[in-house]
Amino acid sequence: MAPKRGAAILETDFSDEEYQDYPASLIDSAQNEKGPHSPTKALRQYQQPLVRKGGVKRGRRGIPPAVPDATAWLEEKSAMGLTERLKGLDIGGRMSGAESSVGGDDVGGGQQGDGSSGGWEEDHGDAGNTPSWDSDTHSHGYTEEQLSVYHDAVDSFTAGFYFIEDTVFAVEGWNIKKEESTGLWYHLEYMREEGVVDVACTCPLALQNRVCIHQAFTKDLDIESYFDCLQSTSTQDSDAVICVRQQVPNSDEVDTMFSVKSRTQPGLKGRAIVTHKGTLPTAGVWRCSKSHSGAYRCTHIPEAKRALKELLGLAGESDMPEDTGSPVAKEVLVPARPLATLSRHGAISYKPILPPVSVMIPKDEHLYSRPPPFRDAPTLPLPIDEHSTCACPQNARSMFNKDADIVTKNCRIFTLTNGVHSAKIQLQQCPTCPGKRRRHIGPDLRERGLFNYNNSVIVSHELLDDYTISYCTSETPFSAYVTVMEHRYATVNATFMGEDLFRTVWFAYISIQAFENDMGCSICGSAPETIIWDGVTVAFHKKHLSSTISPPTEKSSQSISRPLVKNLRGQQLITDATLRKQVRQVIKSFKVDSGQTSGDGDGVDQPGAGEGEQEEDAFAEDDLVVDDITRIDTVYGKLNDLCPALGLLFLTAYGFDAYESKIRPSIVYRSFFLQIAAEESILQMVNPPSLTRLRDFIANPMENRLSTLLPIPGLFQLLKLHGNIQGLIPMMTWIADRASSVWHDITVDERPIPVILPNESAQADWRLTGCFYSLEQIRHRPDYPKLISDLKKEDSSRGGDTCGKFYSEYGEKSKMGGIMAGWCTHSVCYGFHCIPSSEGRNDVFSAMVTRWPVAPKRVIYDFACALGPYCLLREPEFFKNTLFAIDDFHATGHTKCSPAAFLYEYANADPRLISINSSAGECGNSALRRIRKSVSYMSQERAIIYTKTFLSVWNRFRIKNLKLS
């Protein structure tokens, strides 16, 4: 019977232990490709039989006896990513991403046996799969080089080796020949008995009584010191432990992998790998590595399902429709690796590397002479020199010792156009790292145009720079670039490295590349007078947020406290909210110009309206006229009480005569009265410097001095049009008095913000904090204990007559809030910081307060209508000379804001402001969207580095193209 729609799909597989119970004759029959297949093992596939060199007989059950080296014994398969490894059954019927008893992908060395010479090879003659047995081979059959490569893979997280509980781990299969993970997962458990470590593993090689790479790695390593997450006893309340839970790239679905105990066999043998792909526990696809006797009777999947429901907060709920999306189902993700590290150690190369040649700028330091691109294979071993080091886990690197022995090892050099070269490299055993770490001192190779990742994998600068330019100029995820490189390498009969390894190498490379002195514009200076702020949702999942994130909004124990600062209501020019609304309604009623009879404003009557309809419209229009005239009379009376000169001006522009003649007042009157009736603070229209100029003009109100009022464009344009300056002096005095009163009320604490002393200004690592600005932090963000908005998240449901744009566009999301970036008018980024939640005024305020020596003269921001009062209430002295304005691009969305909040209002009065490109920030943010998808799947530190590199390259292109240097 087919499963019901929306129900979870359970796929079958076969157990590891059942394979051991089959008679040898049935296995021999199954291994014959032309022979019959077992009816109960219809999907089981076996590798081709292995033939002993020299015709030696094979061992029991068709399995070769233990030999010193058998890394080619199993069939090869290419490694798969996390998404692919959880997709389903492969060609052989095995469970991708789950345990399997016959796993040709898990290629490993054999156990040392009777010491007989000769290896094992597949009968198709591919003897190249078998590594040579040399003096470096250990008792378990793996060479020093093989263990070193696997160790590096675990260090860099390209091979999964994750702690579950107690002494149990989930380990990923490893292909020794290709030196890449296979995407198949198994269990491993170690134990100590009288000081001796013994290891059990469920991978195919270990189940055949041979030593697998996982066992050799665990035995050879001090596992307790290597993993700092081990616990003495189990702390899991459930039989199912979630190992990995990550979102599928380019999909809304989530991959989850569980390690599930058996109720009847609590040991390692009873454990199963269970995988789920979907958005809800009761939907999607479930698979279990031990569901061999009937998938719907599997006992592991229900345990995993219960654990997933508890994680998502759905415990106790029964079946749910598949299309009933729950946001928490996608947000609750379990990271599979540490969040604050790129790898457990750095790369061998450590010297700063020049930026890509196409984005070099004059400010770049001459670190060394750039070599030509490395493309041809070296004829001699890559030499070690006095600058060679080891990537020790401690801060100090071990340096080359001329008196110590030098050894020669094999390495691979990956190039951009000529494929991969096999070469030799000179190394020296590291005296600092423990012997089991297998680390060596190796050459830096910077002057050769090479990046030495781990003495085994070496990549040309040309190749790594090519990816940097690719993703900065067009949307190029790692997966897409690796696919392109695989094609290029195939044309020269070579194999490119896996995606995980390339990603790890690139991040190690970019971490030492000298992208310096590129977060600034030579024209605008170190602290631009006009700064454009904008937030962009280039964000990683909240699951990756770690405690190291430190935006400027964080307060310090050394922050100055301002308990006198409190919320101040009624900062508008007109304090009567009803009157403000009525003024705006009167302005809105004047929407038809003289001579216009149609709503379209084209002066043409609309056809199709009958006499009856026209009569009904006339009655309705009569009612509106009465309301409008009554409202005009009311507004005039109230304005006359506030200021007779203002009332008379209103009557001139919006009185009965103007209404009756249907002459729409000049846009200058409309703009002025919208500012008079604005819901914003009067300080948005008249800030302290403008107030000083207004007082100066009132003292000497001459027509040739009108330019004094340029910072108050509404009043400047009004006086130019109206002409009667003397008659408006009382109104200007009333405006100045009201602005002075509000300024006095908010200036309650004039203490300057303390500057951080030089010995206190140690800058934290931006790769961990997610905060990078060209200006170093010079202050701590102050604390305002009496302001509610500083104690809790800002209200997202605000509306009414105030501007609601800020509150409507940023709601709850599954990712962190993105980044806040500051730009000059030439679209050069001056820095950014990660926003843990949604974008807010606090991000812009804190960035300027903590880093700008003096507040910028002009701050352009999408939500400047809300930012201005926010900043002036908290730090009036710091921001008293700052103009807060909305850029032209976002102005259309602010339907409830007065013209005093828009930059174009000031540019209309002062032509010198036309040169301000208010959309410069939006240009940069549009480019940042190229990396949005890639960043969304990254961990915190990688996302920060990826974003910073993009902005550095973007700035360098701007500096070069516009000749800003």
Side-chain angles (χ1 to χ4, degrees):
M1 178 182 296
K4 295 180 179 180
R5 182 185 180 191
I9 302 174
L10 308 179
E11 296 194 2
T12 61
D13 195 13
F14 307 97
S15 67
D16 298 329
E17 58 267 34
E18 281 200 357
Y19 166 66
Q20 305 294 339
D21 297 333
Y22 268 75
S25 59
L26 183 55
I27 293 179
D28 291 336
S29 174
Q31 288 175 332
N32 184 357
E33 286 187 334
K34 298 181 180 180
H37 294 284
S38 167
T40 59
K41 297 284 184 176
L43 297 179
R44 174 67 75 190
Q45 296 288 323
Y46 294 87
Q47 78 287 344
Q48 295 185 5
L50 303 179
V51 180
R52 180 78 162 181
K53 286 183 179 179
V56 181
K57 295 182 180 179
R58 60 171 64 246
R60 179 173 172 266
R61 292 189 181 178
I63 300 175
V67 292
D69 193 283
T71 56
W73 184 74
L74 296 174
E75 180 185 19
E76 294 178 26
K77 274 175 61 73
S78 60
M80 298 156 58
L82 176 61
T83 304
E84 297 297 327
R85 66 184 75 149
L86 298 177
K87 278 189 175 178
L89 296 174
D90 60 13
I91 297 176
R94 294 172 302 165
M95 187 67 64
S96 297
E99 295 173 281
S100 175
S101 60
V102 179
D105 294 30
D106 195 32
V107 182
Q111 187 179 24
Q112 186 175 6
D114 56 6
S116 60
S117 61
W120 291 86
E121 62 180 2
E122 297 183 26
D123 60 2
H124 52 66
D126 186 11
N129 287 345
T130 306
S132 60
W133 181 273
D134 53 32
S135 58
D136 288 336
T137 306
H138 293 256
S139 59
H140 42 58
Y142 293 94
T143 65
E144 183 81 14
E145 183 178 356
Q146 290 169 341
L147 278 175
S148 179
V149 170
Y150 181 68
H151 195 147
D152 288 334
V154 175
D155 272 348
S156 60
F157 304 105
T158 56
F161 205 109
Y162 303 140
F163 172 72
I164 302 298
E165 61 181 11
D166 298 342
T167 56
V168 179
F169 293 80
V171 296
E172 191 175 14
W174 179 252
N175 187 313
I176 288 183
K177 179 186 175 184
K178 292 186 176 181
E179 297 181 354
E180 61 185 14
S181 55
T182 66
L184 303 176
W185 290 83
Y186 313 100
H187 282 111
L188 176 144
E189 184 174 6
Y190 79 95
M191 61 213 76
R192 288 186 181 273
E193 187 175 356
E194 297 180 356
V196 178
V197 176
D198 204 357
V199 185
C201 183
T202 63
C203 74
L205 204 60
L207 292 179
Q208 295 157 10
N209 293 323
R210 303 167 67 82
V211 178
C212 66
I213 189 71
H214 313 108
Q215 292 172 310
F217 173 78
T218 307
K219 287 183 178 181
D220 197 62
L221 191 70
D222 185 4
I223 199 71
E224 285 90 351
S225 63
Y226 187 72
F227 291 93
D228 57 3
C229 53
L230 299 183
Q231 305 174 28
S232 58
T233 58
S234 174
T235 61
Q236 300 292 339
D237 297 328
S238 172
D239 290 334
V241 178
I242 298 179
C243 309
V244 184
R245 178 169 168 82
Q246 295 183 331
Q247 187 166 357
V248 180
N250 306 319
S251 172
D252 290 334
E253 295 184 319
V254 178
D255 281 334
T256 313
M257 188 174 77
F258 307 79
S259 172
V260 185
K261 297 178 183 177
S262 170
R263 295 284 180 89
T264 57
Q265 287 183 311
L268 188 69
K269 187 176 182 179
R271 279 189 176 270
I273 294 288
V274 175
T275 61
H276 173 253
K277 181 178 180 181
T279 56
L280 295 171
T282 52
V285 179
W286 286 92
R287 305 185 186 98
C288 176
S289 63
K290 294 184 178 294
S291 297
H292 55 278
S293 58
Y296 290 96
R297 294 194 298 272
C298 174
T299 60
H300 301 99
I301 290 178
E303 287 294 330
K305 191 178 295 186
R306 277 192 289 272
L308 185 55
K309 284 185 176 182
E310 291 178 2
L311 177 70
L312 302 180
L314 304 175
E317 297 190 20
S318 57
D319 291 342
M320 299 170 61
E322 188 171 0
D323 58 353
T324 304
S326 174
V328 72
K330 299 177 185 178
E331 291 179 18
V332 183
L333 303 175
V334 177
R337 55 194 64 185
L339 300 180
T341 56
L342 291 176
S343 64
R344 294 187 178 94
H345 67 86
I348 299 297
S349 292
Y350 68 97
K351 296 180 182 178
I353 298 172
L354 290 172
V357 64
S358 61
V359 291
M360 289 288 291
I361 57 177
K363 288 184 179 181
D364 286 328
E365 183 181 353
H366 181 72
L367 301 172
Y368 58 95
S369 297
R370 187 188 297 273
F374 190 97
R375 294 176 181 174
D376 299 326
T379 56
L380 298 175
L382 299 173
I384 197 170
D385 55 29
E386 66 273 13
H387 301 294
S388 302
T389 63
C390 171
C392 301
Q394 295 82 12
N395 292 330
R397 285 173 168 258
S398 296
M399 301 297 294
F400 170 74
N401 183 0
K402 63 180 180 178
D403 298 325
D405 294 336
I406 296 177
V407 297
T408 302
K409 298 284 186 180
N410 296 324
C411 67
R412 293 176 297 167
I413 304 176
F414 292 87
T415 65
L416 178 62
T417 58
N418 291 14
V420 59
H421 302 308
S422 297
K424 299 287 186 180
I425 185 172
Q426 292 182 346
L427 304 174
Q428 192 176 83
Q429 184 72 39
C430 178
T432 305
C433 296
K436 294 183 178 182
R437 297 281 183 173
R438 287 186 174 74
R439 294 198 177 123
H440 289 83
I441 295 172
D444 183 273
L445 304 178
R446 179 184 68 173
E447 284 73 15
R448 289 174 173 260
L450 295 175
F451 176 71
N452 185 355
Y453 175 61
N454 59 5
N455 292 324
S456 174
V457 175
I458 300 173
V459 188
S460 70
H461 292 178
E462 182 187 26
L463 170 57
L464 296 170
D465 287 343
D466 185 70
Y467 175 71
T468 302
I469 299 300
S470 296
Y471 95 86
C472 290
T473 54
S474 64
E475 186 173 347
T476 310
F478 284 102
S479 57
Y481 187 79
V482 169
T483 301
V484 172
M485 290 305 302
E486 287 174 346
H487 168 73
R488 289 181 184 174
Y489 272 49
T491 60
V492 294
N493 197 26
T495 302
F496 191 61
M497 70 182 83
E499 179 186 339
D500 287 344
L501 179 58
F502 176 74
R503 183 187 296 109
T504 303
V505 171
W506 184 86
F507 274 107
Y509 171 79
I510 210 70
S511 296
I512 62 173
Q513 198 159 27
F515 283 110
E516 304 291 342
N517 303 317
D518 51 26
M519 286 286 176
C521 170
S522 60
I523 297 178
C524 297
S526 59
E529 292 184 349
T530 300
I531 184 73
I532 303 169
W533 292 98
D534 204 355
V536 59
T537 53
V538 174
F540 51 88
H541 270 281
K542 291 180 179 178
K543 63 168 183 171
H544 287 310
L545 277 175
S546 72
S547 58
T548 63
I549 200 76
S550 181
T553 54
E554 286 195 350
K555 288 170 283 192
S556 167
S557 58
Q558 303 176 25
S559 297
I560 184 175
S561 179
R562 299 195 187 276
L564 297 179
V565 176
K566 302 177 182 180
N567 287 315
L568 179 63
R569 297 183 179 274
Q571 297 186 37
Q572 296 85 357
L573 177 58
I574 299 176
T575 57
D576 186 348
T578 302
L579 176 58
R580 294 196 302 267
K581 186 173 182 179
Q582 289 174 333
V583 171
R584 294 194 297 269
Q585 288 175 337
V586 170
I587 295 173
K588 187 177 181 180
S589 66
F590 281 75
K591 58 185 178 181
V592 181
D593 291 339
S594 176
Q596 294 178 344
T597 58
S598 70
D600 296 336
D602 56 6
V604 179
D605 291 335
Q606 294 294 320
E611 295 182 0
E613 294 179 0
Q614 292 179 358
E615 188 175 348
E616 291 179 5
D617 292 342
F619 283 118
E621 187 175 342
D622 289 341
D623 293 339
L624 291 176
V625 169
V626 173
D627 292 341
D628 291 342
I629 293 177
T630 304
R631 189 180 298 114
I632 290 173
D633 184 60
T634 303
V635 169
Y636 166 71
K638 291 183 178 180
L639 291 180
N640 191 65
D641 292 340
L642 287 175
C643 176
L646 179 64
L648 183 60
L649 180 66
F650 174 81
L651 198 61
T652 302
Y654 291 98
F656 308 113
D657 294 339
Y659 185 86
E660 185 178 10
S661 62
K662 295 186 178 180
I663 298 176
R664 190 171 186 176
S666 169
I667 192 173
V668 172
Y669 287 110
R670 181 178 184 274
S671 175
F672 176 76
F673 278 102
L674 284 176
Q675 296 178 53
I676 291 294
E679 295 296 328
E680 302 131 22
S681 171
I682 176 58
L683 298 179
Q684 178 66 45
M685 178 183 178
V686 185
N687 62 8
S690 303
L691 177 60
T692 302
R693 296 170 74 103
L694 178 59
R695 295 283 191 192
D696 180 56
F697 182 81
I698 292 173
N700 187 16
M702 303 295 294
E703 185 175 356
N704 60 0
R705 299 186 68 246
L706 276 178
S707 59
T708 307
L709 299 179
L710 279 175
I712 314 175
L715 190 56
F716 169 78
Q717 299 281 23
L718 175 68
L719 294 179
K720 282 182 62 177
L721 176 67
H722 191 68
N724 183 10
I725 297 177
Q726 295 296 330
L728 296 180
I729 293 296
M731 183 191 69
M732 290 187 281
T733 304
W734 171 71
I735 294 175
D737 291 343
R738 178 58 183 159
S740 299
S741 174
V742 173
W743 175 253
H744 177 269
D745 291 342
I746 66 172
T747 310
V748 295
D749 190 343
E750 299 183 8
R751 292 177 298 164
I753 309 174
V755 176
I756 300 175
L757 298 177
N759 58 350
E760 299 175 353
S761 59
Q763 303 295 318
D765 189 346
W766 59 268
R767 295 176 299 179
L768 300 178
T769 64
C771 181
F772 184 94
Y773 285 95
S774 58
L775 296 168
E776 294 187 354
Q777 182 176 357
I778 57 175
R779 305 182 191 88
H780 297 294
R781 185 196 185 277
D783 180 29
Y784 309 96
K786 296 298 181 66
L787 293 179
I788 299 177
S789 57
D790 265 36
L791 303 178
K792 66 178 183 178
K793 189 176 179 180
E794 296 184 70
D795 182 14
S796 61
S797 60
R798 178 176 168 179
D801 291 326
T802 58
C803 177
K805 186 176 188 294
F806 168 81
Y807 300 90
S808 64
E809 288 196 352
Y810 290 86
E812 300 297 330
K813 299 181 184 230
S814 62
K815 298 180 177 64
M816 46 83 72
I819 65 171
M820 176 63 69
W823 309 81
C824 76
T825 56
H826 304 98
S827 286
V828 174
C829 182
Y830 271 71
F832 72 97
H833 69 264
C834 294
I835 308 172
S837 56
S838 59
E839 174 187 350
R841 300 166 291 182
N842 190 14
D843 290 288
V844 181
F845 165 79
S846 299
M848 292 188 291
V849 161
T850 58
R851 283 163 172 79
W852 257 251
V854 179
K857 286 186 178 180
R858 288 172 289 271
V859 173
I860 314 299
Y861 182 48
D862 182 4
F863 308 117
C865 53
L867 177 64
Y870 185 94
C871 294
L872 288 173
L873 177 65
R874 288 158 176 76
E875 296 298 330
E877 284 295 328
F878 186 78
F879 289 105
K880 66 182 180 181
N881 297 321
T882 301
L883 167 67
F884 297 89
I886 300 169
D887 61 283
D888 298 345
F889 181 83
H890 294 100
T892 55
H894 292 261
T895 57
K896 296 180 180 179
C897 295
S898 77
F902 300 119
L903 180 62
Y904 65 72
E905 177 75 5
Y906 298 87
N908 289 338
D910 189 350
R912 293 172 297 181
L913 301 181
I914 296 177
S915 60
I916 296 178
N917 178 16
S918 65
S919 298
E922 192 62 32
C923 294
N925 285 352
S926 297
L928 273 167
R929 292 182 176 90
R930 299 171 190 165
I931 64 173
R932 175 184 291 173
K933 184 176 294 184
S934 296
V935 168
S936 66
Y937 303 115
M938 291 182 182
S939 61
Q940 174 180 300
E941 187 172 349
R942 285 188 170 182
I944 294 168
I945 294 175
Y946 202 73
T947 303
K948 161 60 172 62
T949 303
F950 179 91
L951 290 172
S952 288
V953 173
W954 166 269
N955 282 354
R956 288 168 175 268
F957 276 126
R958 297 291 299 176
I959 291 171
K960 291 189 66 174
N961 294 339
L962 299 178
K963 295 181 173 56
L964 300 179
S965 58

